[in-house]
Amino acid sequence: MSHSAKIQTAELDWELIDAIEVPISKQFGDVYFSKDNGLLETRHVFLNGNDLTERLSELEDFQYFCVGETGFGTGLNILTLWQLWQQVRPDNHSHLHAISVEKFPLSKADLIRTLNVWPELKPLAEQLIQQYPLPIAGCHRLSFPEQRFSIDLWLGDAQDIFPSIPKTQAVNAWFLDGFAPSCNPDMWQENVLNHIVRLSDYGTTFASFSVAGVLKRGLKQHGVHISRPRGFGHKREMLKAIWSDPSQTLTDPADAAEIKVQSERAPIASSSRPRQIAIIGAGIAGLSCAWAFAQRGHQVTIYEQDEPLSGASGNPLALLNPKLCPIEQAHEHLMTLSWQHALNFYSRFKAFRSIQVQQMALKNADELLGLAEQYPEAVLSVHDQQNATPETDYPSLTLHQAGAVSPQQLRDEILQHPNIQCIKAKISRLKCTDKQTELWQEQQLIATADDVIVCCAKQSAELFENYPPLKPIRGQVSWVENREQALALDQAYSYGGYCMQLDAAQLILGASFYPNRDDVDVLAEDHVHNYELIHSVFPEYAQQLPTVEHWQGRASVRAQSLDYFPLVGKIQNDGQIFTFAGLGSKGFLFAPLCSEVLAALVLGELCPVPQNLLDKLNPQRFQKKVKAKKPYYSG
Ligand code: SAM
């Protein structure tokens, strides 16, 4: 498939028309927006063509509305949509989600230049630019929670992306905007349109500046009803279409049957009240999940038998240090996708410190160092060893975009959210009733909830009959005073183990890794292990550290699934009980993206990962008879 290729940015020419700079694609030889006035065209064709003023202003509490787009381009359509949303959105918890696909994203500099043209969109453009992703294939979720607005920007070819998007909810309105079909036939292929319709439902609407035959035929064959009102500016016509329920509009039974096949209905209708979400376990999985639901206005109660962060998430510092994959796999590589999302997520919290990580090439040096050429320049560079501190013989790669999180501070910030409460209780049993789930502590019913998420690492198994195996892995981190030889605060090193400043006066070193052990005493031998790891790459530096008797430490047990993928989703298809566990030693990296996946599954939103990744996260993947033909989210 071609979508595995490296993303190329758009190449632009500029034409000055009535003091407005209009970008023109060199790749396609077409304009990004009307030379008459792009902003007015967007309002006329895409917003009015989908009746969005009325539909958005009528959204009820907690309703979710999704707009899909072919071709993000300069972001003009999405920003104009966002502006409308600001003007008409009701004062409730409704949410607007835009998903857009783009094969050749504008470079950030070009995006800034094009959006400069629209002063009235400036405040929104600035927020978009701030979160605008690197040109790396895959889904990038940009979140603006205080605006109740989010954008999934899928970078890649529409022909590959649309088939890969799981239908965890239907798109309500489409902006079909991929350059004129004559300049860009790929975008308007039957297969692309088939998937656009697959991701739709009865009531979904479509608008386009184009009334080309391929588009009309492609939509009509699915039973979509097309009208052709006046186009914008000099254009005579545009396309305005709706997919109506055939049982009400069609008489030909053959047509009706065909439409029905396309229409897998979305799982849960949006609720008209806050959902009561129970989360069991207050490690990073539980906390980040709680945040995802609370941000959407739902009421979250976390049940924790001990103290929050008492398990593997409670080390003094967590390092976000992904092992990046070859670029052609990035669009479906959980670690690479999680890394980008995690940096975006944590940077909202005071608990986050932006750092860079020097990844030492102990073996397969060419493979590791070769990654620098594959990724956008801002991400990776081969480290110049000449002035290396501390001194080492090994070559290394610098990952410029990494981070460190203080788990305790993050916990405090998350638990301050008004929609989250944390209760000390050991839940011993879950019982599904008609509409809700009961939470029992021994013989006592202590709560009911609409949805339950079990995030208790290995202990999650106690609440299910048939839970996938999780392997315990003992790990100990160490820390020691190093005031005299402190490293830069924004620098970490990774070499199998890792080290970085815990604060200005102490170095933290990680971590031992003993599969199938669940003891948590702090052991001198694990300090020695961490010492030996650092000594193997930085011998002189390591020798200057105080001896291990002076080291402090913390040991804990991580839970790892057998295939190293977290478990995210339902264990059984009935009821509203989910799990999120098995994050191994990458909990802080995986948690933010997986929490968004889980929220999409629970609430019925579009999901920020492709179907094959969703399947890899499916906790039912270990069951012998997986009903492979039925996507598990269809519930
Ligand atoms: N909606 C955009 C805006 O508001 O600025 C304008 C979109 S422009 C007319 C069409 C966009 O579709 C271009 O950015 C182009 O790179 C993108 N595109 C073209 N072919 C594509 C494909 N096969 N897959 C994904 N994107 C594609």
Side-chain angles (χ1 to χ4, degrees):
M1 277 206 175
S2 55
H3 69 322
S4 54
K6 190 172 169 172
I7 292 291
Q8 285 174 5
T9 46
E11 290 170 27
L12 304 184
D13 276 331
W14 305 85
E15 202 175 307
L16 198 61
I17 297 169
D18 295 338
I20 287 188
E21 271 197 311
V22 177
I24 299 167
S25 162
K26 283 192 191 172
Q27 278 113 335
F28 294 96
D30 198 0
V31 285
Y32 276 78
F33 43 76
S34 163
K35 292 182 181 176
D36 289 341
N37 182 326
L39 184 59
L40 295 182
E41 180 191 37
T42 292
R43 289 198 185 117
H44 179 81
V45 175
F46 296 108
L47 304 188
N48 297 343
N50 283 297
D51 300 320
L52 288 182
T53 304
E54 303 77 49
R55 292 166 80 191
L56 294 180
S57 65
E58 286 164 7
L59 286 181
E60 290 174 10
D61 210 7
F62 290 96
Q63 262 187 339
Y64 166 89
F65 192 96
C66 183
V67 173
E69 181 183 48
T70 57
F72 182 77
T74 69
L76 174 61
N77 287 345
I78 299 293
L79 288 177
T80 313
L81 168 72
W82 186 357
Q83 185 192 42
L84 174 69
W85 177 237
Q86 285 198 322
Q87 289 160 358
V88 305
R89 72 184 160 205
D91 186 13
N92 58 26
H93 296 92
S94 51
H95 187 95
L96 176 63
H97 187 185
I99 62 165
S100 188
V101 172
E102 179 53 60
K103 184 174 181 182
F104 300 113
L106 268 63
S107 69
K108 200 165 185 168
D110 281 341
L111 185 76
I112 293 169
R113 183 169 168 185
T114 42
L115 291 180
N116 246 337
V117 167
W118 316 111
E120 64 178 285
L121 297 177
K122 194 162 190 266
L124 305 182
E126 281 170 357
Q127 294 177 64
L128 168 69
I129 289 161
Q130 208 184 11
Q131 290 192 38
Y132 192 64
L134 292 164
I136 298 177
C139 179
H140 302 264
R141 175 161 286 191
L142 322 182
S143 302
F144 309 93
E146 43 311 307
Q147 312 259 335
R148 309 198 324 264
F149 180 59
S150 48
I151 304 171
D152 281 356
L153 184 46
W154 291 79
L155 299 186
D157 193 317
Q159 294 185 66
D160 304 314
I161 299 286
F162 282 122
S164 79
I165 299 180
K167 189 183 179 184
T168 44
Q169 184 56 280
V171 173
N172 302 93
W174 285 98
F175 297 175
L176 303 179
D177 189 20
F179 287 133
S182 52
C183 306
N184 185 20
D186 283 357
M187 182 67 109
W188 307 98
Q189 281 199 8
E190 194 181 346
N191 191 36
V192 175
L193 284 174
N194 285 348
H195 280 282
I196 285 173
V197 176
R198 174 183 67 84
L199 290 167
S200 305
D201 205 344
Y202 301 143
T204 297
T205 57
F206 308 79
S208 182
F209 63 88
S210 169
V211 282
V214 272
L215 179 58
K216 284 185 295 183
R217 280 193 301 278
L219 291 174
K220 267 187 190 158
Q221 67 169 356
H222 293 286
V224 175
H225 292 261
I226 291 171
S227 62
R228 289 178 295 177
R230 226 195 129 64
F232 177 74
H234 63 276
K235 287 190 188 135
R236 214 157 45 87
E237 296 182 322
M238 58 171 265
L239 179 136
K240 182 172 191 244
I242 181 162
W243 191 16
S244 310
D245 185 342
S247 63
Q248 297 184 11
T249 51
L250 283 183
T251 44
D252 182 344
D255 283 356
E258 187 183 345
I259 290 159
K260 203 144 192 230
V261 172
Q262 294 294 343
S263 165
E264 321 153 22
R265 285 202 83 90
I268 310 173
S270 41
S271 62
S272 55
R273 58 171 179 82
R275 295 184 77 82
Q276 302 291 332
I277 313 274
I279 292 178
I280 307 176
I284 186 58
L287 288 170
S288 79
C289 230
W291 185 261
F293 288 103
Q295 285 288 80
R296 288 160 166 82
H298 297 288
Q299 289 297 329
V300 180
T301 307
I302 307 178
Y303 299 89
E304 166 58 55
Q305 62 175 355
D306 210 325
E307 298 300 321
L309 297 180
S310 51
S313 310
N315 287 339
L317 200 61
L319 174 62
L320 304 175
N321 177 31
K323 191 164 178 286
L324 297 185
C325 62
I327 195 81
E328 64 269 17
Q329 296 160 15
H331 63 287
E332 53 184 19
H333 188 253
L334 182 65
M335 182 110 66
T336 305
L337 297 171
S338 296
W339 154 70
Q340 297 169 74
H341 188 78
L343 292 179
N344 206 346
F345 172 81
Y346 290 118
S347 60
R348 293 150 207 258
F349 294 93
K350 293 194 200 79
F352 178 73
R353 181 181 356 143
S354 174
I355 59 163
Q356 55 177 21
V357 184
Q358 213 169 305
Q359 300 182 334
M360 316 305 296
L362 306 186
K363 49 185 182 185
N364 303 336
D366 289 348
E367 211 175 283
L368 182 70
L369 302 184
L371 288 176
E373 285 165 19
Q374 302 176 17
Y375 278 80
E377 239 171 85
V379 177
L380 295 168
S381 60
V382 175
H383 193 73
D384 170 15
Q385 294 305 334
Q386 300 247 293
N387 305 310
T389 3
E391 266 180 49
T392 180
D393 289 338
Y394 288 100
S396 68
L397 194 63
T398 302
L399 173 64
H400 295 279
Q401 305 202 346
V405 179
S406 159
Q408 290 71 22
Q409 196 173 343
L410 182 73
R411 168 203 60 203
D412 293 347
E413 288 180 64
I414 287 180
L415 293 182
Q416 268 167 21
H417 196 293
N419 294 353
I420 301 177
Q421 60 166 331
C422 187
I423 291 176
K424 191 163 184 166
K426 180 175 168 62
I427 304 302
S428 51
R429 192 159 62 97
L430 299 172
K431 192 172 158 218
C432 287
T433 62
D434 218 9
K435 291 211 172 82
Q436 292 212 310
T437 302
E438 295 176 352
L439 288 84
W440 291 75
Q441 184 173 25
E442 299 301 333
Q443 302 311 317
Q444 196 189 350
L445 173 65
I446 61 167
T448 56
D450 296 309
D451 311 283
V452 179
I453 329 280
V454 179
C455 308
C456 313
K458 204 164 173 334
Q459 284 171 306
S460 304
E462 294 169 15
L463 291 167
F464 297 90
E465 272 171 23
N466 190 13
Y467 200 80
L470 290 177
K471 185 164 67 171
I473 300 174
R474 174 191 157 85
Q476 178 173 312
V477 294
S478 311
W479 58 97
V480 58
E481 203 179 295
N482 73 337
R483 206 182 294 270
E484 300 301 315
Q485 49 177 150
L487 304 170
L489 268 173
D490 61 355
Q491 176 77 56
Y493 299 86
S494 99
Y495 40 80
Y498 64 86
C499 70
M500 65 183 296
Q501 289 301 125
L502 176 56
D503 50 38
Q506 298 177 90
L507 184 73
I508 184 165
L509 307 102
S512 58
F513 188 92
Y514 295 113
N516 301 318
R517 268 179 63 182
D518 57 9
D519 53 308
V520 291
D521 291 338
V522 174
L523 300 176
E525 66 195 65
D526 285 40
H527 286 326
V528 171
H529 174 95
N530 289 337
Y531 176 80
E532 283 174 351
L533 280 173
I534 188 172
H535 186 270
S536 68
V537 281
F538 304 124
E540 282 181 33
Y541 182 83
Q543 278 159 23
Q544 290 166 35
L545 291 171
T547 50
V548 292
E549 305 86 76
H550 301 284
W551 290 24
Q552 299 178 66
R554 181 176 187 276
S556 61
V557 179
R558 311 123 173 175
Q560 181 85 69
S561 71
L562 299 185
D563 59 6
Y564 292 82
F565 267 89
L567 311 174
V568 184
K570 281 186 181 179
I571 296 286
Q572 283 116 16
N573 270 342
D574 50 335
Q576 282 293 102
I577 305 178
F578 297 79
T579 192
F580 177 23
L583 286 76
S585 54
K586 295 292 180 196
F588 280 82
L589 208 52
F590 287 151
L593 183 63
C594 289
S595 297
E596 288 296 304
V597 170
L598 200 78
L601 295 176
V602 173
L603 301 171
E605 298 176 357
L606 266 293
C607 200
V609 297
Q611 181 70 56
N612 64 349
L613 202 43
L614 196 55
D615 291 341
K616 284 186 187 168
L617 295 169
N618 180 357
Q620 298 175 32
R621 66 190 183 266
F622 298 100
Q623 291 169 15
K624 287 224 171 65
K625 283 190 222 139
V626 179
K627 292 174 205 137
K629 292 239 168 78
K630 191 175 174 218
Y632 78 97
Y633 53 78
S634 66

